[in-house]
Amino acid sequence: MISDKIIEVKGLKVSFGDTEILSDVSFTVDKRDVTVILGSSGCGKSTVLKHILGLHPLKQGYISVLGKNISTLTEVEQQKLYLNMGVFYQNGALLNSMTVGENVALPLAQHSNLPVDLIDDIVRMKLGLVNLEHAYHQYPSELSGGMLKRAALARAIIMDPPLLFCDEPGAGLDPISLKSLDELILNLKELLGITIVMVTHEVSSIMRIANKIVYLENGVVAYEGPPKDAVSCEIESVRNFFAASK
């Protein structure tokens, strides 16, 4: 049985050569919450995310995802776990040679034995959830920045993952489009019951959608808790991060 702690990170330590990036990072992600990992540039946000996703081998520390110790999984078990994890990349990562519908369908086509007609129905439903049903036959080059983000989000949730990772999802968007994307992510979270882990530096997004923030500094977690408390917490660097964005 999976507990309410969807992700547990304990004592994560990461070095690249002689450079220590993370010295002792520990935090948890609760079920159906939006948890944002943040901090100044170079603090190790993406490094933490890549270790949780299994993109970097875990050398020191412990990481549990959906109740599974990722260090002890076989290759088959790892692949099964990955199918329960959607990833929403900063640049969308859509294939320009394929239509929006084909891009969104790709995970189902690769990892399921569903008939083509059913896959098509699921794709159209997910595009409808992100208000992009009209873009089914369009190519990525024909979409605006905001539409590309929504198409990438539709692909990230096509397998109905209980866990969604978002890497700088609002990068490059104007404030109105950013707010719209935030509202869409929150709506999908409530509708689909998913847990979201996000890396972002957009303070407006953090205040709108985060249940908890994990602030990294000097290789450790300097603050873990609600964003509303971070604004006035006793840690100067955390306060300054939010104050600088006002």
Side-chain angles (χ1 to χ4, degrees):
M1 180 181 294
I2 298 173
S3 72
D4 286 340
K5 303 298 182 185
I6 296 297
I7 295 174
E8 291 184 81
V9 177
K10 297 179 182 177
L12 178 61
K13 184 175 182 178
V14 178
S15 296
F16 295 122
D18 295 329
T19 304
E20 185 178 72
I21 307 299
L22 305 172
S23 58
D24 185 11
V25 169
S26 301
F27 64 91
T28 60
V29 173
D30 293 333
K31 189 176 184 178
R32 297 193 177 185
D33 270 1
V34 177
T35 299
V36 174
I37 303 171
L38 71 155
S40 59
S41 297
C43 70
K45 301 185 294 292
S46 294
T47 299
V48 170
L49 191 64
K50 288 175 180 177
H51 275 79
I52 295 173
L53 287 168
L55 299 178
H56 287 326
L58 180 62
K59 296 181 179 179
Q60 289 184 270
Y62 167 87
I63 298 177
S64 172
V65 180
L66 297 171
K68 306 290 185 180
N69 180 346
I70 65 171
S71 295
T72 63
L73 299 180
T74 65
E75 185 174 344
V76 172
E77 289 171 334
Q78 286 177 339
Q79 291 174 351
K80 185 177 180 180
L81 178 62
Y82 292 153
L83 295 181
N84 287 291
M85 298 155 59
V87 184
F88 179 12
Y89 294 102
Q90 176 183 155
N91 61 4
L94 299 180
L95 300 175
N96 291 324
S97 61
M98 302 174 70
T99 65
V100 168
E102 291 169 338
N103 267 286
V104 175
L106 197 56
L108 281 176
Q110 291 180 330
H111 301 293
S112 79
N113 295 315
L114 297 176
V116 174
D117 289 349
L118 181 54
I119 290 177
D120 184 72
D121 289 341
I122 295 172
V123 168
R124 291 180 185 277
M125 180 185 70
K126 293 297 168 64
L127 285 174
L129 289 178
V130 299
N131 303 314
L132 269 187
E133 55 268 51
H134 61 282
Y136 184 93
H137 294 292
Q138 290 183 271
Y139 285 86
S141 61
E142 299 175 296
L143 304 184
S144 67
M147 292 171 71
L148 279 171
K149 301 279 190 182
R150 285 185 278 145
L153 182 55
R155 187 178 63 183
I157 62 171
I158 192 66
M159 300 283 288
D160 290 325
L163 182 55
L164 175 65
F165 294 91
C166 302
D167 181 17
E168 296 283 3
L173 293 181
D174 62 81
I176 294 175
S177 297
L178 178 60
K179 183 180 179 182
S180 177
L181 180 64
D182 289 341
E183 291 171 348
L184 176 58
I185 290 173
L186 277 180
N187 288 338
L188 290 174
K189 179 183 83 78
E190 295 301 323
L191 181 64
L192 303 176
I194 56 180
T195 302
I196 298 174
V197 178
M198 182 181 296
V199 169
T200 184
H201 65 277
E202 301 284 355
V203 171
S204 59
S205 285
I206 294 167
M207 301 308 292
R208 273 193 293 264
I209 72 175
N211 298 105
K212 180 168 75 174
I213 65 171
V214 175
Y215 190 95
L216 302 180
E217 184 178 42
N218 297 325
V220 300
V221 176
Y223 173 87
E224 179 179 1
K228 61 181 178 62
D229 295 340
V231 176
S232 57
C233 76
E234 61 184 19
I235 304 164
E236 183 179 8
S237 57
V238 178
R239 292 199 314 272
N240 289 342
F241 181 91
F242 287 91
S245 301
K246 290 183 178 179

